[in-house]
Amino acid sequence: MPRREEPTTSLPADGSAASKRSYHVEALAKGLRLLGRFSEQRPSMKLTDMAAEAGVPLPTAFRMAATLVTEGFLEQLPDGAYRPAPKVLTLGFAALRGMDMVELAEGPLRRLAADTGQTVNLGTLSGDQVLYLIRLRNNDLVTANIHVGSRLPAVGTSIGKVLLSCLDDAELDRRLTEESFTGAKGPNAIRSPAELRPALATVRKRGWAVQDEELAYGLRSVAAPVRDASGSVVAAANVAVPAMGFPVTRLLDELRPRLLDACQETTRLLGGN
């Protein structure tokens, strides 16, 4: 009896784009892209918006939404709009909490938050945004709607400026667009690449960054990098304070040294110098 050939699920050895496309499930990809369209600025969408975002006909969008609702990734609101369901958050938090960097950074950053009484964050770069991995919030802070998993424009945050300062000009040009400068609402917000580049050069030279009412009115912060064993900057942490009562000089004199110590401790835990 001839031997039956067993199916294989490994990628072809040539690694060509055509070979990889043969394993691409377009319906799944569209569903994942659709979930990715929800954001802090757009927490819910009508079905017509979802169809437009996914580039599919309305009946197809309805089937995609119905499937995501059934699987627990979307929920439908009374007005008919859809928003991400708790299952999305559960998956995200589980993944973030499982990261060695987050686990190792949490101790030093919790001590920093307790020592200063201020809000402490850890974030990494995701496109032209900062993705928040740790959020230890003081109730006095004005940005109450930020949480683990939130994304904010990198150009308007101290964490973002630290991370952007590590990129070369070509990578900056690839990541940043005109829309990258529209999310920051503070009176001192950076509005163009021409303004940003000198600021990043200063951050690169100092090794830390300040955000002075750039992201929002009434908010200041100072950030410093976290490095891994290779010396690469893998994240940045900041201390955020209300602008009233915390001029930049006080922020730098009182909080920057403690922040630098916490970032250096985290770097050592990651195997860096």
Side-chain angles (χ1 to χ4, degrees), residues 22-179:
S22 67
Y23 292 89
H24 185 80
V25 181
E26 184 58 24
L28 176 60
K30 286 181 177 178
L32 293 172
R33 286 196 295 268
L34 185 58
L35 286 175
R37 295 296 187 180
F38 292 93
S39 67
E40 193 167 339
Q41 292 74 33
R42 196 178 197 180
S44 66
M45 280 192 281
K46 297 283 191 179
L47 192 62
T48 51
D49 298 325
M50 294 169 65
E53 291 287 350
V56 298
L58 199 59
T60 303
F62 175 77
R63 291 195 296 272
M64 291 170 61
T67 301
L68 291 169
V69 168
T70 300
E71 296 299 321
F73 293 103
L74 285 182
E75 61 185 13
Q76 193 168 19
L77 302 174
D79 65 356
Y82 294 86
R83 70 179 179 190
K87 190 172 183 178
V88 174
L89 300 177
T90 301
L91 287 174
F93 292 162
L96 293 175
R97 289 298 174 187
M99 293 173 60
D100 288 343
M101 178 175 65
V102 173
E103 293 177 352
L104 293 173
E106 190 158 5
L109 296 186
R110 283 197 178 278
R111 287 190 289 275
L112 175 63
D115 182 37
T116 62
Q118 303 300 327
T119 294
V120 172
N121 303 292
L122 179 77
T124 190
L125 202 57
S126 176
D128 64 347
Q129 298 179 314
V130 171
L131 172 65
Y132 282 74
L133 305 178
I134 291 177
R135 171 77 166 171
L136 305 170
R137 181 176 169 265
N138 178 321
N139 290 331
D140 293 335
L141 203 64
V142 296
T143 52
N145 59 336
I146 301 173
H147 48 75
V148 171
S150 288
R151 297 170 186 263
L152 291 178
V155 299
T157 65
S158 57
I159 287 177
K161 286 193 285 186
V162 167
L163 298 173
L164 291 174
S165 73
C166 300
L167 306 179
D168 59 29
D169 288 343
E171 182 64 12
L172 273 176
D173 290 339
R174 188 185 72 80
R175 285 178 182 261
L176 300 181
T177 67
E178 290 184 6
E179 291 185 359

